[in-house]
Amino acid sequence: MIKNYLKVAWRNLSISPFQTFIKVFGLSIGIASVMLILFHIKDELSFDQAFSKSDRIFRVTNENLGEGARHWAATPPPMGPEIQQQLPEVESAVRFHRPSAYQLLSHTSKSGDTRKFEERGGFIVDPGAVEMFDLEFVRGDATTALSEMNSIVLTEEMALKYFGNEDPLGKVIMDNIARIPLKVSGVIAKFPFQTHLKFDYLLSMPTISNYQDQGALSSRGWSGFYTYIQLREDVPLISMTSKMEKFMVQFYGPHGETPSETLAARKLRLQPITDIHLYSKLEKEMYPNSDITYVYIFAFVALFILLLAAVNFINISTTQSFGRIKEIGVRKVVGAKRKQLIQQFLMDSLLVTFLSMIVALVIFGSAIPYYDDLTSKPFYQENIFTLSNFGILLLMLISIGILAGLYPAVFVSRFHLVSSLNSKRNSGPRIQIVRNSLIVFQFVISVFMIVGTVIIYNQMNLFHHKNLGFDKEQVLAITMHREMWENYGALKAKLLENPAIENFSTTTNIPGNRFGSYFLTPLGNTQKVTEGFDARLMLSDEKFLSTLDIPIKEGRDFFRQEPNTGNKECIINEAAAKLFGSNNPVGKRVAIGRDTANIVGVVRDFNFASLHSPIEPLVIQYNPYAGGHLLIKVQENQLPRTIAYMEKSVESIAPSSTFSYSFVDDRLDGLYDAENRMSKVFNVFALLSLLISCLGLYSLSAYMASIRIKEIGIRKVLGSSKMDIIGILSKDFLRLVCAAILIATPFTYFTMERWLQDFAYRIEMQWWMFGLAGVLVLFIAIVTLSYQGIKSANANPIESLRTE
């Protein structure tokens, strides 16, 4: 029976190859798109799931309560060991600490060849990380590799970079900044799954004494360590809430706080490690995380594309069924039951779906490299060709085949015997309503995707072109290593010699990077408006404002002076000045953390961080020798020449350093990587949705032209023009497209309004955005329908009138 169903199904597909092509092509595009998005979503949801103890690993976070509250991903250094010591429910605790934003490491072989690189992916870590995070050692002893002083464990990629094919164990890598020899004690394999823990090398915790003093390591107010705990088996998370509060009181007791003060000021939270990638955007994250919102958006896009393809399939199949009325009548006369007819048409549907799945797999394989570029997230073959993924594909094949073919099968099997044998091809009003509704649905989704693309594009345009309050163009940011600082006088002379360099400045922070948060307290005020507030802090010199062209609102810029004169100065932004109330802050003295300084000026607010958030209070403190970066303002069209000049200068002045640079505008653009990726994906799938919709529209218009072929012939004989014929065939469909535009407009408005609410700086949706999408969809629909209309209008009326 199944063999016979397949033969009939294949014969029916062969009878109308063009309609079959449209069904297969449209469905295969939809399936391939859904496969790409589903694998992307599955990859996003898999972060940190593959750790063997992932259900028991939590990151300890510290949330400040009250006014100016901040939630910190990092915690004080002693917290990890004390949690493990005081709470028996905690099986182990592991801390990660980034020694600096970058390290300059080198290895010199016995032959005298030196390999030197700037590294940004290193952490100092407790030895318990080996067991907690399933570190797989390719070389070295896992039990001792992270226990000895001045030992370093490399990833396989980093070992290959420094040592090639040589055995790295026992060899020495030099930290050129701290001037510490680090002995390679192990090599670990790359995690074979997605995780928020990204590193190139790990230093043993005893080595931290070379990077931090004992005062910092015993501090209970400095959030410098990422603390992870592993609960014992069968310890529910909810039972830890009261225990964490009790521990917090004991931990901050030596800090001079009473229990009530501690509980009112902060709260320790346990964050599941599996939630970090998609649900965490805390202060001082280890790395920027993704957002569950974009997973939902991608899921809805996948659903929309699949629905479009299925609706297109249903519409075409339903329309084609009118051409099989006599076949159905004959089958009923010879005894075919309704169940058998449904099975036959479902087999037709499954065959088309199977063919579409094969084409979709080809499209999927071809599209993977391009999708990798779109999402900046590579697919790994070992993660694609898995048993579970093949199960998903099989389930998708059966589900789409049955669901897409069920309505046409039920619809066709209900044809009345007499009507079937009389070859009545006119569909009833119910069928027309369903078909028209499906057309409207298709174009509602298309309009939504296009308007969404326009809005996202304009929001991205705002991000990339908004006036940030400073000049970010042609600004080069060079990393300042230790030897470069030791020879800064010579380097400064080189800078002054080059006429292409308009200005330069040293700074601890570059706009777009994270700025540290400190508590600022006004001093000596008899009428205090506030006891203090959190502010971002950066250290810089007297040329910082002029290099970035940041205007001063009140007071003055820094004077050139030695930073250790005791007369420390700072400049604040307008956001910080407002917190002083009506008092003019210029001339006031403030405490910044453990330091004090005089406010000498107020600058206009400028966006030194992401436009996702409003401008925060900022303090720029004078310290020309504390910066880790050199900002250089370069004349237009002189960047390549200046970069080459600076590279040569650094090589001659500080040969043991390495020349590392970036562009300020690129760093700022990098803050919106997630939105940029979403924008690119939206662009592609908006075009695909429109393509699928138009394929269905073209197929339906071709069918309508075929059943009205005599009418068209008679009209042409009676003098109707080509435009009349095109109008007759197109007007009903164009009404449906217009209805889709009207329905999609409010739905799209409210959806995109919700998305825009997440941004501190956002565009306002304009009527032209919806008008542009409507005109575009209408134009493409007219072009699609006109092609078939012109084809019908050019047909010889004699041929259509003489055929039965």
Side-chain angles (χ1 to χ4, degrees), residues 322-375:
F322 288 108
R324 301 176 64 181
I325 291 178
K326 280 191 175 182
E327 174 195 339
I328 296 165
V330 172
R331 285 177 178 272
K332 286 189 173 185
V333 167
V334 297
K337 297 180 180 179
R338 186 181 182 192
K339 178 182 176 181
Q340 293 173 316
L341 292 173
I342 292 176
Q343 290 173 345
Q344 177 63 68
F345 279 88
L346 282 178
M347 183 58 69
D348 293 358
S349 174
L350 285 170
L351 180 58
V352 172
T353 308
F354 177 73
L355 295 175
S356 301
M357 185 67 76
I358 294 175
V359 177
L361 286 171
V362 175
I363 296 174
F364 173 76
S366 304
I368 282 179
Y370 303 101
Y371 196 77
D372 288 350
D373 292 338
L374 277 178
T375 60

Side-chain angles (χ1 to χ4, degrees), residues 223-237:
S223 297
F225 282 61
Y226 301 96
T227 303
Y228 297 83
I229 65 170
Q230 177 182 312
L231 298 182
R232 298 188 186 278
E233 292 187 19
D234 302 322
V235 175
L237 178 61

Side-chain angles (χ1 to χ4, degrees), residues 57 80 93 141-142 151 277 336 343 388 474 477 511 597 655 666 717 741 762 784:
I57 300 175
D141 186 353
S151 62
H277 178 65
Q343 290 173 345
S388 63
Q474 302 287 119
D666 286 346
V717 169
I741 294 171
R762 48 160 289 181
T784 303

Side-chain angles (χ1 to χ4, degrees), residues 484-558:
M484 294 168 68
W485 273 120
E486 292 172 349
N487 297 279
Y488 184 56
L491 182 61
K492 188 174 179 180
K494 287 286 188 180
L495 292 167
L496 294 171
E497 288 175 5
N498 192 332
I501 297 176
E502 296 181 357
N503 214 335
F504 60 89
S505 169
T506 60
T507 177
T508 52
N509 300 85
I510 304 171
N513 283 6
R514 180 189 169 273
F515 283 48
S517 179
Y518 292 80
F519 197 73
L520 186 146
T521 306
L523 300 176
N525 290 340
T526 57
Q527 297 179 341
K528 291 184 180 180
V529 177
T530 176
E531 291 297 326
F533 52 87
D534 283 324
R536 302 293 180 177
L537 175 68
M538 65 180 300
L539 308 179
S540 192
D541 60 14
E542 72 281 1
K543 291 186 176 182
F544 175 75
L545 299 182
S546 56
T547 300
L548 295 183
D549 195 21
I550 300 172
I552 297 177
K553 181 182 179 182
E554 297 177 26
R556 60 171 174 82
D557 201 345
F558 296 126

Side-chain angles (χ1 to χ4, degrees), residues 121-287:
F123 289 92
I124 300 173
V125 66
D126 286 313
V130 175
E131 184 176 352
M132 182 182 287
F133 295 107
D134 309 318
L135 300 184
E136 181 186 349
F137 273 73
V138 179
R139 297 178 183 272
D141 186 353
T143 59
T144 61
L146 288 170
S147 301
E148 300 174 358
M149 182 75 171
N150 293 349
S151 62
I152 183 172
V153 173
L154 310 177
T155 59
E156 289 181 290
E157 292 82 355
M158 187 167 174
L160 183 64
K161 183 168 67 172
Y162 280 84
F163 302 102
N165 294 322
E166 297 179 17
D167 184 358
L169 285 183
K171 291 187 169 58
V172 173
I173 287 180
M174 193 72 184
D175 184 336
N176 290 12
I177 298 177
R179 297 183 178 172
I180 302 169
L182 302 168
K183 182 180 178 181
V184 178
S185 58
V187 178
I188 56 177
K190 180 181 178 182
F191 286 122
F193 50 81
Q194 293 285 15
T195 172
H196 80 285
L197 291 174
K198 301 179 179 68
F199 51 79
D200 298 314
Y201 61 96
L202 298 173
L203 301 175
S204 61
M205 188 55 72
T207 311
I208 198 171
S209 59
N210 295 312
Y211 297 95
Q212 299 290 347
D213 59 38
Q214 191 57 40
L217 294 177
S218 60
S219 171
R220 295 171 190 266
W222 172 48
S223 297
F225 282 61
Y226 301 96
T227 303
Y228 297 83
I229 65 170
Q230 177 182 312
L231 298 182
R232 298 188 186 278
E233 292 187 19
D234 302 322
V235 175
L237 178 61
I238 193 171
S239 68
M240 295 298 295
T241 304
S242 60
K243 298 180 186 299
M244 290 300 293
E245 288 184 355
K246 183 178 179 181
F247 165 78
M248 186 173 61
V249 169
Q250 294 174 343
F251 182 80
Y252 286 102
H255 204 49
E257 295 181 1
T258 65
S260 58
E261 288 175 338
T262 298
L263 294 174
R266 64 183 61 84
K267 185 179 182 67
L268 293 181
R269 297 186 182 275
L270 297 183
Q271 183 180 42
I273 189 175
T274 52
D275 286 354
I276 292 175
H277 178 65
L278 292 176
Y279 297 93
S280 184
K281 288 191 176 182
L282 307 185
E283 189 75 21
K284 204 174 182 179
E285 287 283 1
M286 187 178 283
Y287 292 103

